[in-house]
Amino acid sequence: MLTLDTRVPAVLLRIDRNPFHHGTLGAVRSLGRAGVEVHVAAADSGRSPVSRSRYLHQTHPAPPPDASLREISAELRRVSRRVARPAVLIPMDDAGALAIGHLQQELADFYLLPDQASGLAERVADKATLAEMCETVGIPHPVTLLPQSAAQTAAAVRQLGLPVVAKWSRPWRVPSGAGLRSTVLVRSVGEAQELYRRSEEAGSRLLLQAFLPNGPGRDWFVHGYVDRTGVVRGGGSGRKHRSWPRSAGLTAVGQWTPDPDLKADTERLIGTLGYRGIFDLDFRVDAATGEHCLLDFNPRPGAQFRLFADGADLDVVRALHLDMTHRPLPSAAVLPGRSFVVENYAPLSALRALLRAGPAATATYRRELAWLARDDLAPAFAMGVLWCRHVTRRVLGRLRRAVGPEAPPRQPEGTCAEEARSEDARTDHARTDDERASSC
């Protein structure tokens, strides 16, 4: 059984506002069950269901999403003074991970952090530099082009073929409320050029990428923790059976599926980069070649990291705490077939998992739910209430827009909004039962 140093607390940092971030709850429970004092610094901590967890010691204010590095540093120092002793600092979103990557030396006297090279977290999170890294290391990656003008954008679309994936290279810089998404499937040259012309507004370069069609068994992810010696510990590879939004979102239903080739590619990339700390990689299989192509490198825990709680109940968050407190990390005890389900995004899958579950011990071995836990029921109930309110607001908003006299005028054919509406109409009939049950 794992024995964490309970004298050392943990601080979870999340800058992006998302009250439904189940990964934060997973980290609170993972460390809290081991006896660690867990603090959460999050902008929405007051109304998030995470605040109801019995394993949460205290919540703290977090810097806003548009905060400068100086403001983030000052807030983290204030949290440290309240905690009153050095703590393991764990970012739960990209904004937090990138800020900590830049502030590592400043925070070294207040927090325990992996010895990460300065700026490396931002380089791997930048989708343009990630493509360059993959080419250097020899990791499969979709063909990626970075146009420098509207004319080059049109040429890139013709070279890649429609549809094409458009991404902002640094999505954390995209301003909220601008109507820009970090990733979008482009279906016309005009739409791609319109996005390119908004590059300055988005705060980063537009990247065009060959589209890899989704399909059963094609979406994969790899989680792990790289210890102080450079060895990947904990985590594993998994298949994404359901996602939210469909085909391009977070894992709603995932399964632990070991893949030796994927593991070897990951360890080769990690070793070449000299990366340290927790990572979450997203892959999609190229149907033409059968290769797992790396799409994203997230320098923090993935929201579904508890899928990879192994036979010793080691996960990447616990591995980080053990390593930072100089405690031994046990050998991996892989549990192939273990599943993870997010109830609000896959309610019917969650219900089926509950109905099939046997005694508590075997149920824990087979699957884990993101919100519902026998020993910590309050967050699940709080999430249910908040989610129902969220869905009700969205449904009422759609009804008002559909029948209200003040509905916005229809945009000209070919604009991004029109393409999105057309795409919704094409795919609505093909939604899964889970998506219909959780529609918002």
Side-chain angles (χ1 to χ4, degrees):
M1 184 174 179
L2 296 178
T3 304
L4 277 67
D5 189 341
T6 57
R7 297 170 300 175
V8 180
V11 173
L12 311 180
L13 173 66
R14 186 163 50 77
I15 296 176
D16 292 337
R17 291 187 174 92
N18 178 9
F20 299 110
H21 193 270
H22 52 273
T24 303
L25 177 61
V28 168
R29 285 173 171 167
S30 176
L31 295 170
R33 285 170 178 150
V36 174
E37 182 181 297
V38 185
H39 298 253
V40 170
D44 51 27
S45 58
R47 69 188 186 96
S48 170
V50 176
S51 65
R52 303 292 300 278
S53 175
R54 60 180 292 194
Y55 295 110
L56 177 61
H57 181 78
Q58 189 176 356
T59 61
H60 304 268
D66 58 351
S68 66
L69 287 176
R70 183 176 180 179
E71 291 170 326
I72 294 172
S73 177
E75 191 60 58
L76 286 174
R77 290 171 186 241
R78 279 192 287 270
V79 172
S80 178
R81 287 193 291 271
R82 297 187 191 106
V83 176
R85 58 197 188 278
V88 176
L89 179 59
I90 308 174
M92 299 306 301
D93 61 5
D94 288 340
L98 300 178
I100 292 172
H102 286 291
L103 297 170
Q104 185 158 344
Q105 292 185 349
E106 292 183 38
L107 298 174
D109 292 335
F110 304 90
Y111 294 99
L112 305 179
L113 297 166
D115 186 17
Q116 185 74 274
S118 179
L120 180 57
E122 183 166 324
R123 296 209 317 273
V124 298
D126 187 311
K127 301 184 187 306
T129 56
L130 178 63
E132 297 169 359
M133 291 177 186
C134 287
E135 185 175 356
T136 300
V137 180
I139 301 295
H141 187 272
V143 177
T144 301
L145 303 174
L146 281 84
Q148 303 298 317
S149 66
Q152 287 187 17
T153 300
V157 170
R158 286 190 290 269
Q159 178 181 337
L160 296 171
L162 291 170
V164 64
V165 177
K167 299 180 178 182
W168 300 111
S169 64
R170 299 185 174 188
W172 60 90
R173 291 188 174 179
V174 176
S176 59
L180 293 170
R181 296 173 58 188
S182 61
T183 302
V184 65
L185 191 62
V186 171
R187 297 184 178 276
S188 71
V189 171
E191 185 180 354
Q193 290 179 316
E194 180 183 344
L195 286 173
Y196 175 80
R197 283 189 281 268
R198 300 185 69 180
S199 296
E200 184 175 352
E201 180 185 358
S204 65
R205 294 180 291 176
L206 180 68
L207 177 152
L208 298 178
Q209 198 170 81
F211 173 62
L212 302 181
N214 68 300
R218 292 185 188 171
D219 286 326
W220 291 69
F221 48 88
V222 177
H223 293 189
Y225 171 72
V226 188
D227 68 16
R228 62 183 67 250
T229 67
V231 176
V232 177
R233 313 296 293 268
S237 60
R239 288 175 58 182
K240 188 183 295 188
H241 293 294
R242 294 277 190 279
S243 62
W244 186 271
R246 188 183 184 191
S247 304
L250 56 80
T251 299
V253 180
Q255 186 176 45
W256 194 338
T257 311
D259 186 296
D261 293 336
L262 202 53
K263 178 181 178 182
D265 280 350
T266 297
E267 291 179 345
R268 182 156 49 92
L269 177 62
I270 292 296
T272 303
L273 297 176
Y275 184 86
R276 297 291 184 272
I278 298 174
F279 63 85
D280 164 27
L281 310 182
D282 290 320
F283 293 84
R284 176 167 286 183
V285 175
D286 185 342
T289 64
E291 294 179 318
H292 291 82
C293 293
L294 180 60
L295 302 181
D296 290 304
F297 190 128
N298 304 301
R300 39 79 181 165
Q304 74 276 25
F305 78 91
R306 280 293 298 172
L307 168 64
F308 301 111
D310 66 11
D313 211 13
L314 177 71
D315 57 40
V316 294
V317 166
R318 289 185 172 187
L320 170 61
H321 195 282
L322 287 167
D323 194 36
M324 292 297 96
T325 55
H326 297 270
R327 297 266 172 142
L329 277 72
S331 300
V334 180
L335 299 178
R338 177 172 155 83
S339 64
F340 183 86
V341 183
V342 186
E343 300 94 312
N344 51 317
Y345 300 127
L348 298 185
S349 294
L351 180 60
R352 285 192 291 268
L354 286 171
L355 293 175
R356 286 198 296 263
T362 57
T364 300
Y365 168 85
R366 287 199 297 263
R367 60 100 183 106
E368 180 157 337
L369 299 179
W371 294 98
L372 184 62
R374 296 170 188 264
D375 61 338
D376 192 30
L377 293 172
F381 289 116
M383 183 279 295
V385 172
L386 191 62
W387 185 255
C388 287
R389 292 174 182 170
H390 168 71
V391 171
T392 300
R393 284 196 298 268
R394 295 295 296 271
V395 171
L396 292 177
R398 287 181 178 182
L399 288 175
R400 283 194 294 267
R401 289 194 296 271
V403 302
E406 297 182 2
R410 186 178 181 87
Q411 295 190 35
E413 190 75 26
T415 65
C416 293
E418 182 65 28
E419 291 281 348
R421 282 195 293 270
S422 300
E423 179 64 15
D424 287 343
R426 285 193 291 269
T427 60
D428 185 71
H429 71 280
R431 291 190 301 165
T432 66
D433 291 339
D434 270 324
E435 289 172 313
R436 294 189 182 96
S438 185
S439 181
C440 63

